[in-house]
Amino acid sequence: EKQGFRHYMLKEIYEQPAVVRSSLDTYINLNWHADENPDYSPVNIGLTPDMTDNLEHIQIVACGTSWHAALVGKYLLEQVAGIPTTVDYASEFRYSPKPVIPNTLTIGVTQSGETADTIAALESERARRVNLDPKYHARLLAITNRAESTIAQICDCIIDTQAGIEIGVAATKTFVAQTMGFYFLALDLAYRRQAVSNQRISEIVEGLRQIPSQIETILDTQADAIEELAHHFTNETEDFIFIGRGINFPIALEGALKLKEISYIHAEAYPAGEMKHGPIALLDNKVPVVAVAMPGSVYDKVISNAQEAKARDARLIGVTTAMNATEAGHTFDDILTVPEVDEIVSPVLAVVPLQILSYHIAAIKGLDVDQPRNLAKSVTVE
Ligand code: F6R
């Protein structure tokens, strides 16, 4: 069943190229070419006009890792499709009624499709809008790999992420697949609303099409070095800090969550620019800092935030591209290298070395990676 892998989590990390390939095959319209000014969408997610027409606002509810995918989604929906988007923890949303905005799309993101809080958040959203003017009615979309789940049934539409069932409790391939789901949605909406040029849409699609082989490159070239690095953190390390900015801040959050879930090492993530507003007080030579420093609009900012951490003697680990590795080498003690990539698609690559790092730290510690203490794969109680 584990096909030679020691744990399901590792097997699922290695399934990611195939999962991304399958989602691209399912949703990307191969005949679409920007310069032919096509009159149909670059992606086929099958959303009906009543889901997407006149959209003024998108609200996303999710928990845990799915909430992190939603944060990447927010960035895409705002920056690519130009639609104001909010992201809430489902457990908060259900008890914190918000002013009702018309023409709102509500998205539930969930790997299991059975998370009690996410179900309740979506159901309460439907219920409170049902007696209002039709433009206020709920439009519910599920992003999930479980097409037969409760969430899929209560929503009007679903994007099936093609990840299949995940067995390791720590979500890996489902996160990457959910994030891909947001790229498809953002591209579809961007096209319909002409929020960005067809040329830009084409560039993003091209970037996505490189992802499977780029993840393979990370798995082929980095896995051993990351395992080696993991040995440094298996004895005395009690705390980790992860930093990132922009579209990669959610990747810092996800790196920290993976680490705490399976290695039981305390980890926090901050937007890199927030460090000086408090968390930097935690730093010394016992607290490693992982900086997600992908080239792009905030690269220089992340590097200078990382240097501030280094000045406090923190061991600094950078996730960056090969091209930047030499320059980054002056800043970072260790580098987890990922292939060259457009910033907009970089989260899908940047998360992979962090999954591998958490995996090895936990595995070397001899912990039950697939079934961490106190956690369940499907949280069906409040
Ligand atoms: C993280 C993890 C949890 C889940 C969360 C939501 O590795 O497994 O944080 O992401 O419980 O679960 P789903 O996606 O099933 O709604």
Side-chain angles (χ1 to χ4, degrees):
E1 284 251 341
K2 291 184 202 147
Q3 290 162 4
F5 289 98
R6 210 170 131 206
H7 295 99
Y8 282 108
M9 181 183 175
L10 194 59
K11 170 173 176 271
E12 287 159 356
I13 289 172
Y14 276 77
E15 278 170 12
Q16 293 179 124
V19 165
V20 175
R21 250 181 218 119
S22 154
S23 73
L24 290 164
D25 288 349
T26 307
Y27 295 116
I28 292 286
N29 211 327
L30 282 177
N31 299 320
W32 194 92
H33 296 289
D35 35 7
E36 290 166 10
N37 280 322
D39 58 3
Y40 54 90
S41 176
V43 291
N44 304 313
I45 43 176
L47 290 188
T48 50
D50 53 318
M51 293 295 280
T52 56
D53 281 356
N54 311 316
L55 273 192
E56 290 172 50
H57 169 225
I58 296 178
Q59 53 186 14
I60 316 177
V61 294
C63 307
T65 286
S66 299
W67 184 78
H68 298 155
L71 290 177
V72 177
K74 169 186 161 75
Y75 189 97
L76 298 170
L77 292 164
E78 292 187 335
Q79 309 291 326
V80 181
I83 308 172
T85 302
T86 56
V87 179
D88 283 280
Y89 291 113
S91 57
E92 289 295 312
F93 184 94
R94 59 184 293 195
Y95 296 117
S96 308
K98 297 181 189 308
V100 177
I101 298 175
N103 299 314
T104 292
L105 175 67
T106 304
I107 306 176
V109 192
T110 167
Q111 156 280 130
S112 63
E114 302 297 342
T115 300
D117 283 318
T118 310
I119 294 172
L122 294 173
E123 280 180 334
S124 67
E125 194 55 13
R126 170 98 75 208
R128 75 181 183 137
R129 287 170 174 264
V130 80
N131 291 321
L132 306 179
D133 184 88
K135 69 175 190 245
Y136 287 96
H137 286 178
R139 310 174 184 185
L140 303 184
L141 168 67
I143 297 185
T144 183
N145 42 304
R146 304 296 288 271
E148 73 298 348
S149 63
T150 305
I151 294 273
Q153 281 158 34
I154 64 175
C155 288
D156 304 302
C157 281
I158 122 165
I159 298 178
D160 180 337
T161 68
Q162 309 295 316
I165 289 181
E166 188 173 62
I167 295 174
V169 163
T172 53
K173 66 171 180 171
T174 55
F175 170 77
V176 159
Q178 288 165 351
T179 307
M180 290 299 292
F182 279 109
Y183 283 96
F184 302 138
L185 178 64
L187 287 170
D188 189 42
L189 294 174
Y191 171 79
R192 290 170 193 242
R193 303 161 71 91
Q194 301 193 303
V196 289
S197 67
N198 280 356
Q199 205 48 52
R200 182 63 183 140
I201 288 179
S202 191
E203 278 168 22
I204 298 173
V205 168
E206 260 325 294
L208 293 174
R209 288 160 57 82
Q210 306 299 320
I211 295 286
S213 64
Q214 290 178 320
I215 297 180
E216 275 159 3
T217 302
I218 298 173
L219 298 172
D220 292 347
T221 65
Q222 299 297 300
D224 292 347
I226 298 173
E227 180 172 5
E228 184 68 37
L229 177 66
H231 282 275
H232 292 281
F233 310 115
T234 51
N235 290 322
E236 266 134 46
T237 306
E238 290 177 0
D239 308 277
F240 253 88
I241 301 280
F242 289 71
I243 58 175
R245 287 182 91 133
I247 196 167
N248 280 303
F249 167 53
I251 299 308
L253 288 167
E254 177 57 9
L257 181 61
K258 284 293 89 90
L259 188 67
K260 22 187 173 195
E261 281 184 300
I262 59 171
S263 75
Y264 315 143
I265 294 174
H266 170 239
E268 304 266 355
Y270 295 98
E274 268 299 295
M275 287 300 289
K276 63 171 76 64
H277 300 287
I280 201 165
L282 293 170
L283 297 187
D284 61 23
N285 61 4
K286 293 192 205 61
V287 183
V289 173
V290 179
V292 185
M294 299 301 287
S297 57
V298 286
Y299 175 75
D300 292 342
K301 302 286 169 196
V302 176
I303 294 291
S304 76
N305 298 139
Q307 282 162 347
E308 286 155 18
K310 194 166 173 62
R312 274 78 189 176
D313 291 334
R315 179 171 186 147
L316 205 54
I317 301 156
V319 178
T320 191
T321 60
M323 208 149 93
N324 289 59
T326 330
E327 173 200 340
H330 304 303
T331 303
F332 297 117
D333 299 301
D334 310 281
I335 295 186
L336 314 183
T337 316
V338 300
E340 218 54 50
V341 63
D342 186 330
E343 181 182 27
I344 198 88
V345 300
S346 64
V348 200
L349 291 187
V351 73
V352 177
L354 302 184
Q355 297 168 337
I356 302 172
L357 181 64
S358 301
Y359 169 77
H360 283 300
I361 293 175
I364 294 165
K365 287 176 107 177
L367 298 170
D368 189 345
V369 173
D370 286 332
Q371 299 244 280
R373 68 185 183 202
N374 310 337
L375 297 178
K377 187 65 185 160
S378 189
V379 185
T380 54
V381 292
E382 180 168 2

